[in-house]
Amino acid sequence: MSALGDDELSLVLKWVYDQNDRKSFSQVCKQWLRVEGLTRLSIRVLEPDLIPVFLPRFPNLLFFEAQVFISNPHLEFVAKTCPKLQVLNLNLKKTLEEFEELDENSGFEDVGNDGISALANGCPNLSKVLLRKRKNVANFAVISLAKLCRNLTTLDLGRCNLVDDRAVEAIGCSNSIRVLNFEACSLITDHGLAVLATGYISKTLKKLVLAECDRITDSGVSMLKHICCLEELNLAECGPKITDSGGLAVSSLSSLKKLNLGWLINLSDVTVIAIANNCVKLVSIDLTGCELVTGVGVRAFGNHGSLEYLVLASCYNICMNDLSIVVRCQSLRNIVLDKGLRMWIPMPMQVHISKFCQLHWR
């Protein structure tokens, strides 16, 4: 019996999905080790210092994940070794305290502009880049990604607090990005939102997260109505400068399916009624902490045709009669109420609500 060639072994490996089985396969002999490395498509790195040792065995990787601290030289090596990368997940699972401890005790500098720019240059096929909590990532890195990665569809910059409107200007020129996360990017202003609303990206963007971007106002939010295919919008905790003026503009986004307006304390029933009437495709809305919203606004969802998830936590101006009307919404599957109201809503009423949808307390 003749030995199996690399091509035959590759075909066999296509049917081996379990990582432990692939590891056993690679331990048979040097040939099988090589073939397993050449056919590996994804990797999760736990010890970045070992990247120069093991990564050359996987030149055809499409998915790279490292949710630990990693340096610029590490990523420069990745860019040279794995040029076919399509998905880069560097979302960091560390707290602010761990960041400060790292800086003070070790002198280690987490990845920033140089490493991300090297990846943008070396891996032009990147389509999904997740950089949450990478505090050294700034405008230069984002501009490099926007200009060099023509297939980029998802960009997560949540809590990259050095990113400002200059980076948004580059992103606005993209005609491929569909998902964009700017959570807690507090340097972004109304100018950045205007760029998103008027640039090429306005034709492709489907999900936009602006939670905790507290420099934006009604002026910027009103521009978002020009993003013609936006389906998900998160404006939670963007501050008191967003009022019904901006809320009414949001209500004109007829394509919206998911909307988070949590803790926008100056939004009132005017906005809620307009959203209920105009956003006919809406599936989920979060009104947590919108203290000016009352039963008058909430009742407007009673005849909504697609709403499935309604969050009213920390909304105290709602009574039992309002709830009885809301649950008439035939599409409603889940409603979230403030746990402080639980003792004030009689058990028969809770049972009545539960007949129509699941009742949750928060």
Side-chain angles (χ1 to χ4, degrees):
M1 180 178 176
S2 59
L4 291 174
D6 288 358
D7 291 341
E8 289 81 7
L9 287 174
S10 296
L11 290 173
V12 172
L13 264 179
K14 285 184 177 180
W15 296 94
V16 181
Y17 304 106
D18 185 88
Q19 292 301 316
N20 291 325
D21 291 340
R22 290 185 67 96
K23 182 178 180 180
S24 298
F25 182 99
S26 68
Q27 293 172 339
V28 172
C29 63
K30 290 183 178 179
Q31 181 197 15
W32 289 36
L33 176 68
R34 184 181 68 255
V35 172
E36 195 280 327
L38 291 173
T39 57
R40 178 79 71 86
L41 299 180
S42 64
I43 194 167
R44 182 183 183 190
V45 176
L46 300 177
E47 298 183 51
D49 287 340
L50 298 179
I51 284 178
V53 177
F54 65 77
L55 198 64
R57 191 162 72 86
F58 312 113
N60 297 314
L61 288 178
L62 301 180
F63 307 88
F64 182 92
E65 178 181 347
Q67 296 187 321
V68 294
F69 292 116
I70 188 169
S71 70
N72 286 317
H74 289 144
L75 289 188
E76 290 166 0
F77 188 86
V78 172
K80 294 177 181 178
T81 309
C82 306
K84 298 179 182 179
L85 280 184
Q86 296 178 5
V87 177
L88 176 70
N89 183 356
L90 298 181
N91 280 353
L92 190 61
K93 292 185 175 180
K94 297 289 182 181
T95 65
L96 179 61
E97 290 74 17
E98 289 173 302
F99 265 127
E100 294 173 346
E101 182 179 350
L102 181 75
D103 291 341
E104 293 175 0
N105 298 336
S106 68
F108 178 88
E109 186 170 352
D110 193 40
V111 64
N113 286 336
D114 291 344
I116 301 303
S117 297
L119 283 164
N121 280 279
C123 307
N125 294 322
L126 281 171
S127 62
K128 186 175 183 178
V129 177
L130 312 178
L131 301 173
R132 175 177 291 270
K133 292 186 180 180
R134 297 292 178 175
K135 68 171 187 175
N136 294 329
V137 170
N139 292 332
F140 183 75
V142 179
I143 293 170
S144 297
L145 288 169
K147 289 185 175 181
L148 299 174
C149 300
R150 299 295 184 179
N151 298 320
L152 192 63
T153 61
T154 300
L155 182 58
D156 186 347
L157 298 170
R159 304 195 177 279
C160 295
N161 51 21
L162 295 179
V163 172
D164 63 26
D165 290 341
R166 286 170 290 179
V168 181
E169 289 174 356
I171 293 172
C173 295
S174 169
N175 59 6
S176 61
I177 294 178
R178 296 162 61 90
V179 178
L180 186 57
N181 188 345
F182 284 131
E183 180 181 358
C185 293
S186 58
L187 297 180
I188 292 176
T189 70
D190 290 340
H191 173 70
L193 300 196
V195 169
L196 294 179
T198 57
Y200 290 117
I201 193 174
S202 66
K203 309 300 182 184
T204 62
L205 192 62
K206 290 185 176 296
K207 179 177 180 179
L208 177 61
V209 179
L210 295 168
E212 298 182 48
C213 294
D214 54 9
R215 294 194 184 190
I216 64 177
T217 71
D218 282 337
S219 176
V221 171
S222 295
M223 292 295 294
L224 298 180
K225 63 185 177 183
H226 299 295
I227 304 180
C228 58
C229 55
L230 195 63
E231 296 180 357
E232 296 186 41
L233 177 61
N234 188 338
L235 294 171
E237 299 183 67
C238 282
K241 295 179 181 179
I242 298 178
T243 69
D244 284 328
S245 176
L248 289 174
V250 169
S251 73
S252 67
L253 288 164
S254 59
S255 57
L256 274 182
K257 294 182 179 179
K258 294 185 178 181
L259 179 61
N260 190 337
L261 301 175
W263 299 106
L264 296 183
I265 59 174
N266 286 324
L267 290 186
S268 74
D269 293 331
V270 172
T271 291
V272 177
I273 292 171
I275 290 171
N277 291 335
N278 300 331
C279 299
V280 295
K281 297 180 181 179
L282 195 66
V283 175
S284 171
I285 184 168
D286 190 336
L287 297 171
T288 298
C290 294
E291 56 189 38
L292 296 183
V293 173
T294 71
V296 174
V298 173
R299 289 183 184 204
F301 289 110
N303 294 318
H304 200 277
S306 61
L307 189 67
E308 297 180 7
Y309 193 78
L310 175 62
V311 182
L312 299 171
S314 297
C315 294
Y316 303 108
N317 297 314
I318 298 168
C319 67
M320 289 185 291
N321 290 336
D322 303 323
L323 295 176
S324 65
I325 293 176
V326 171
V327 296
R328 294 177 187 173
C329 175
Q330 295 185 0
S331 59
L332 194 63
R333 299 290 177 266
N334 296 273
I335 186 168
V336 181
L337 301 177
D338 192 274
K339 60 184 179 182
L341 298 176
R342 191 168 190 171
M343 62 181 294
W344 301 106
I345 299 179
M347 185 55 65
M349 184 61 188
Q350 295 184 34
V351 172
H352 174 73
I353 294 174
S354 299
K355 290 179 180 179
F356 297 92
C357 60
Q358 290 193 22
L359 176 58
H360 308 274
W361 303 96
R362 184 187 297 172

